[in-house]
Amino acid sequence: RLMVGREDRPARRRLFASARARILASYLILLLFSTVVSVVALREVLLARAGERVDEALAQEVEEFRTLARLGRNPRTGRPFGDDVRAIFNVFLSRNVPGEREAFYTYAEGDLHDTRFAPGLRELRISEIDALALSTSVQRGEAELDDGERMRYLVAPVETGGRARGVFAVAIDLSGELDEVNDALRIAAGVSIGVLILASLLAWAVAGRVLAPLRLLRDTARSIGESDLTRRIPVEADDELADLARTFNEMLDRLEEAFASQKAFISDAGHELRT
């Protein structure tokens, strides 16, 4: 077993020391680096676009609420809502259903008035939104819950009579968007791995074809002896390897002429000595 292991080591060293293996290793390193960079960049782009979609959904809900508060009328009296912020909340919550993974929070004079949650979304309180129940300016942010869920929210004050009398907040669970991003990344990673494997096989084959003239040059050099200097490397291309093959053939021409001259001299000298 020890002898077999020692015999395998030189074979492995020869494999990894070959030009073909080094070319393939360099190609794989560059391809792997570009793949990792592409996946990371794709993740950032997908996350940015997911954030933009969430922000647009939040802004749309807030704008609908503001339109109702500014132009709507109380269905009971037929008159504008005026300072009755609770009536605004009741009408809005009765007419609007939260979108997928959305939640509505309404606060009147700093106290929670009512909430609405999308179907399938568990009812929850978000401390970051509760802390903004008396906010007088638009606030946005993200909150991470105890179970690891992330919620992005937008808080808008309700101003009537020149002062803020309540707060409307909408929050969206980011887990759905993050799941979509992760699914896309898994697909992209799987495709990249498949492309990497296919490219490796093609690179191995292409490297073999590119290095074929060098192997032919090596075999020709090994087969040349003093008795046979007639072998030449066929040259068909017009690149660096072809130039090397032509230079090698020219060297063989010179060696053949030198050996022929040497043989002729030895033959003449032997003839003169015999004479």
Side-chain angles (χ1 to χ4, degrees):
R1 293 180 182 176
L2 186 57
M3 292 181 63
V4 172
R6 290 178 178 176
E7 291 176 357
D8 290 341
R9 290 177 183 175
R12 290 195 297 267
R13 290 177 181 175
R14 287 195 299 270
L15 175 62
F16 291 105
S18 65
R20 188 178 187 181
R22 291 198 299 271
I23 292 175
L24 180 61
S26 302
Y27 177 78
L28 289 181
I29 291 174
L30 292 175
L31 188 59
L32 182 61
F33 175 76
S34 62
T35 300
V36 172
V37 172
S38 299
V39 171
V40 173
L42 177 63
R43 178 180 182 274
E44 295 300 323
V45 171
L46 292 178
L47 288 177
R49 291 185 176 179
E52 291 176 358
R53 290 195 299 270
V54 171
D55 290 339
E56 290 175 358
L58 293 174
Q60 179 181 355
E61 296 292 353
V62 170
E63 185 60 29
E64 290 178 359
F65 176 81
R66 285 178 168 175
T67 301
L68 175 65
R70 185 175 64 255
L71 304 177
R73 292 178 177 272
N74 192 328
R76 293 183 178 180
T77 62
R79 296 179 178 180
F81 290 103
D83 296 340
D84 192 355
V85 66
R86 296 181 184 273
I88 300 175
F89 289 151
N90 292 334
V91 172
F92 180 84
L93 295 178
S94 64
R95 295 179 179 178
N96 293 270
V97 178
E100 185 179 2
R101 311 191 73 83
E102 286 186 356
F104 295 154
Y105 298 87
T106 57
Y107 298 84
E109 302 295 341
D111 297 325
L112 182 66
H113 174 71
D114 201 355
T115 59
R116 290 291 186 275
F117 298 90
L121 182 66
R122 65 185 180 90
E123 297 186 7
L124 50 87
R125 294 284 295 274
I126 301 176
S127 59
E128 287 82 354
I129 296 180
D130 290 339
L132 298 173
L134 295 174
S135 177
T136 58
S137 61
V138 176
Q139 303 286 337
R140 64 178 70 240
E142 287 189 13
E144 185 171 354
L145 307 182
D146 296 336
D147 56 1
E149 294 185 15
R150 292 172 58 189
M151 303 288 292
R152 181 170 292 187
Y153 59 84
L154 179 61
V155 175
V158 184
E159 296 181 357
T160 59
R163 71 182 186 91
R165 300 180 182 274
V167 164
F168 173 77
V170 56
I172 295 181
D173 184 5
L174 295 177
S175 59
E177 297 289 342
L178 295 179
D179 290 341
E180 292 181 2
V181 171
N182 292 331
D183 291 341
L185 289 178
R186 281 192 289 269
I187 295 174
V191 173
S192 298
I193 292 174
V195 171
L196 183 64
I197 295 175
L198 180 60
S200 301
L201 297 176
L202 293 177
W204 181 261
V206 171
R209 295 193 61 179
V210 171
L211 297 176
L214 292 179
R215 291 196 297 272
L216 181 59
L217 180 63
R218 177 199 61 193
D219 296 338
T220 303
R222 288 178 178 176
S223 63
I224 292 175
E226 183 180 351
S227 58
D228 183 16
L229 293 173
T230 60
R231 290 198 59 183
R232 298 293 185 272
I233 299 175
V235 179
E236 298 178 355
D238 189 16
D239 53 13
E240 291 82 0
L241 294 178
D243 292 339
L244 178 61
R246 280 191 288 267
T247 303
F248 186 77
N249 289 337
E250 293 173 358
M251 181 190 68
L252 291 180
D253 293 336
R254 293 192 295 270
L255 288 176
E256 186 177 10
E257 293 177 1
F259 275 100
S261 300
Q262 184 182 26
K263 287 182 179 180
F265 173 77
I266 293 175
S267 177
D268 294 341
H271 177 70
E272 293 296 333
L273 289 175
R274 287 193 298 273
T275 302

